[in-house]
Amino acid sequence: MAKQAQETVSEFKNKTVSVNRVSKTVKGGKRFGLAALVVVGDEKGSVGYGTGKSKEAPDAMKKAIKAAEGKMIKVPLREGRTLHHDVKGSFGAGKVILRTAPAGTGIIAGGPMRAVFEMMGIEDVVAKSTGTSNPHNVIKATFNALLKVSSPRQIAAKRHKKVGDLVARRDGGGGSAAAAESKEVATND
């Protein structure tokens, strides 16, 4: 049997953020190549980014996708559509602010951040990038912010509390469910 060249089919979708022409000066002149920046994700909260260089664009893309799949992170989403809380991130001169948004808002973000949110599966978010517009730094700042996002379940586990105690504070405005229940009993007597 002859060897079969099998392409590994990935369950992740990818989006190209930028492709730059780069050059290397050598003894005989310049050698040109391409550098690609790609974001991959499963549209269910997992996302990653990667870079790849090659003389041809398809090869650079393949390298970037392989690198991105190796650096995937999982971000907890509220209701599968937005972040749990507002968060800031930075990398180099790039600074980003990511804010939760009500249903129907859509993705309000520019360039590289939009690609990250689309591949992650976020439907509603408002984001602002300040400082640099370099796509590499903006994406790294966005990932820095996304790593800081935590769900109520994760926070409850750290504090050794029940999720209901934390969520009740968000909804009830300053007390646990037990405290609200005792207030209700006191007013009925």
Side-chain angles (χ1 to χ4, degrees):
M1 252 172 111
K3 287 185 180 179
Q4 294 178 351
Q6 291 183 351
E7 289 284 323
T8 58
V9 178
S10 175
E11 69 272 10
F12 301 116
K13 294 186 178 184
N14 62 63
K15 190 160 204 163
T16 304
V17 176
S18 71
V19 177
N20 292 332
R21 192 174 86 157
V22 294
S23 67
K24 179 180 181 182
T25 305
V26 292
K27 186 176 178 183
K30 292 184 179 181
R31 291 192 181 160
F32 293 99
L34 295 168
L37 176 61
V38 174
V39 176
V40 301
D42 65 355
E43 295 181 342
K44 295 176 187 165
S46 293
V47 68
Y49 73 94
T51 58
K53 290 184 191 175
S54 181
K55 299 209 181 302
E56 301 293 327
D59 294 337
M61 300 286 288
K62 284 179 188 173
K63 288 180 182 180
I65 290 169
K66 188 173 181 182
E69 288 176 356
K71 291 195 272 186
M72 298 285 287
I73 63 169
K74 179 75 174 163
V75 180
L77 300 178
R78 185 193 316 165
E79 301 166 5
R81 62 167 189 81
T82 189
L83 301 172
H84 281 284
H85 54 86
D86 298 353
V87 66
K88 293 180 181 180
S90 65
F91 184 87
K95 295 173 186 63
V96 296
I97 301 167
L98 312 180
R99 303 195 64 176
T100 61
T105 303
I107 299 174
I108 300 176
M113 284 193 295
R114 175 176 286 277
V116 173
F117 297 139
E118 286 175 355
M119 292 299 103
M120 205 165 83
I122 287 184
E123 297 170 11
D124 303 304
V125 69
V126 177
K128 179 68 180 169
S129 170
T130 58
T132 186
S133 60
N134 179 340
H136 291 270
N137 285 349
V138 171
I139 283 187
K140 288 176 184 177
T142 304
F143 272 78
N144 177 262
L146 291 174
L147 287 170
K148 296 176 186 176
V149 174
S150 55
S151 69
R153 180 174 286 137
Q154 292 170 332
I155 294 173
K158 282 182 187 176
R159 296 183 186 175
H160 305 293
K161 294 187 180 252
K162 295 179 182 173
V163 177
D165 292 342
L166 299 177
V167 176
R169 286 191 193 137
R170 182 192 321 161
D171 297 335
S176 66
E181 196 174 301
S182 65
K183 284 181 188 176
E184 185 178 316
V185 171
T187 57
N188 291 339
D189 289 338

